[in-house]
């Protein structure tokens, strides 16, 4: 865990777990984590395997320039990362294993940011594994947040945490570095000229004359 907010939510979640694989949704008191709430979200796993947002804080919605309640969890990612991100989210919501993701975010105009996302399982009202509480923490928030919405995240690493061992900032589980994917530049994203920055596709903007 690299961001202090990530550690704070994890510690709170662990204190509410009380020896169980996960706390209940009703154990989570918003007032206890009020400082984190703008970047906190809750997702629900339906019986047909769809993971959707039941609640999304204003900070996360502001990153995308839209309300995320009711949206699919995978919609936060660029197209080539949707499947793996959704599988990770479903794995957390349906079992006792938390995960932390390292992320690059690409805006619609050429901005790039770095973030990490914590995913923690919680029991729903039926007592089944069918929900997760998460937190998105942006490192060095850029000035354009709120003005240049994200096109999506790209996952650069994933860690699953073994709760049977002392977390030690998740040092007990190595980060799984995901393979870089190349996008075919012959099909411009959003119909705009583009170039590559590392594994990200950057859209050219502004005047050309």
């Amino acid at each position: 865990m690299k961001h202090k907010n990530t550690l704070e939510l994890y510690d709170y979640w662990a204190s509410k777990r009380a020896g169980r694989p996960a706390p209940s949704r009703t154990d989570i008191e918003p007032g206890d984590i009020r400082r984190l709430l703008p970047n906190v979200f809750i997702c629900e796993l339906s019986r047909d395997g769809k993971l959707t947002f039941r609640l999304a804080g204003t900070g996360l919605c502001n990153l995308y320039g839209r309300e995320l309640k009711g949206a699919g969890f995978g919609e936060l990612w660029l197209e080539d990362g949707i499947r793996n991100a959704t599988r990770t989210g479903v794995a957390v919501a349906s079992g006792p294993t938390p995960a932390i993701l390292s992320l690059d975010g690409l805006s619609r105009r050429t901005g790039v940011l770095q973030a990490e996302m914590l995913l923690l399982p919680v029991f729903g009202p039926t007592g089944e594994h069918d929900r997760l509480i998460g937190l998105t923490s942006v490192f060095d928030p850029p000035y354009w947040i709120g003005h240049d919405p994200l096109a999506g995240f790209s996952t650069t690493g994933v860690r699953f945490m073994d709760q049977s061992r002392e977390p030690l900032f998740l040092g007990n589980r190595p980060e799984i570095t995901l393979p870089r994917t190349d996008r075919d530049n012959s099909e411009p994203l959003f119909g705009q000229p583009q170039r590559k920055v590392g594994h990200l596709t950057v859209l050219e903007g502004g005047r050309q004359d």
Side-chain angles (χ1 to χ4, degrees):
M1 299 183 192
K2 299 177 182 178
H3 201 286
K4 64 179 182 179
N5 290 351
T6 306
L7 182 58
E8 183 176 340
L9 182 62
Y10 174 80
D11 284 344
Y12 178 74
W13 173 86
S15 71
K16 294 296 184 178
R17 191 162 63 92
R20 297 169 292 173
S24 169
R25 167 65 184 88
T26 57
D27 294 326
I28 307 297
E29 295 289 344
D32 295 341
I33 53 173
R34 62 174 59 89
R35 191 182 69 81
L36 304 176
L37 287 180
N39 301 304
V40 168
F41 57 89
I42 293 176
C43 292
E44 180 179 20
L45 181 64
S46 65
R47 292 191 178 278
D48 60 359
K50 295 182 179 179
L51 188 64
T52 57
F53 286 95
R54 287 182 58 87
L55 177 151
T58 56
L60 181 59
C61 293
N62 200 33
L63 282 178
Y64 286 85
R66 63 187 178 98
E67 174 59 57
L68 293 172
K69 183 178 180 179
F73 178 73
E75 292 181 31
L76 269 59
W77 272 260
L78 297 171
E79 184 176 357
D80 54 12
I82 292 176
R83 182 178 180 183
N84 284 336
T86 300
R87 290 176 63 183
T88 299
V90 169
V92 173
S94 61
T97 305
I100 187 164
L101 291 73
S102 298
L103 304 170
D104 285 346
L106 177 65
S107 80
R108 294 182 178 274
R109 292 182 185 170
T110 67
V112 179
L113 59 76
Q114 282 72 50
E116 71 179 7
M117 179 181 288
L118 177 66
L119 303 177
L120 301 165
V122 292
F123 290 116
T126 63
E128 298 179 354
H129 283 290
D130 63 359
R131 303 198 183 188
L132 65 79
I133 184 170
L135 173 74
T136 302
S137 301
V138 176
F139 297 102
D140 300 321
Y143 70 90
W144 45 261
I145 289 179
H147 303 282
D148 186 8
L150 288 187
F153 282 130
S154 174
T155 305
T156 59
V158 181
R159 293 181 182 181
F160 290 92
M161 185 167 60
D162 183 353
Q163 293 191 68
S164 67
R165 303 178 63 182
E166 187 66 25
L168 296 176
F169 299 95
L170 296 187
N172 58 308
R173 281 294 180 93
E175 183 172 85
I176 302 169
T177 301
L178 299 185
R180 305 298 189 184
T181 57
D182 293 325
R183 189 184 298 277
D184 183 357
N185 287 336
S186 65
E187 300 179 1
L189 189 64
F190 305 115
Q192 299 181 16
Q194 55 186 282
R195 57 190 174 86
K196 302 293 289 186
V197 176
H199 70 292
L200 295 176
T201 300
V202 176
L203 307 183
E204 302 291 356
R207 296 174 60 91
Q208 302 297 319
D209 55 355

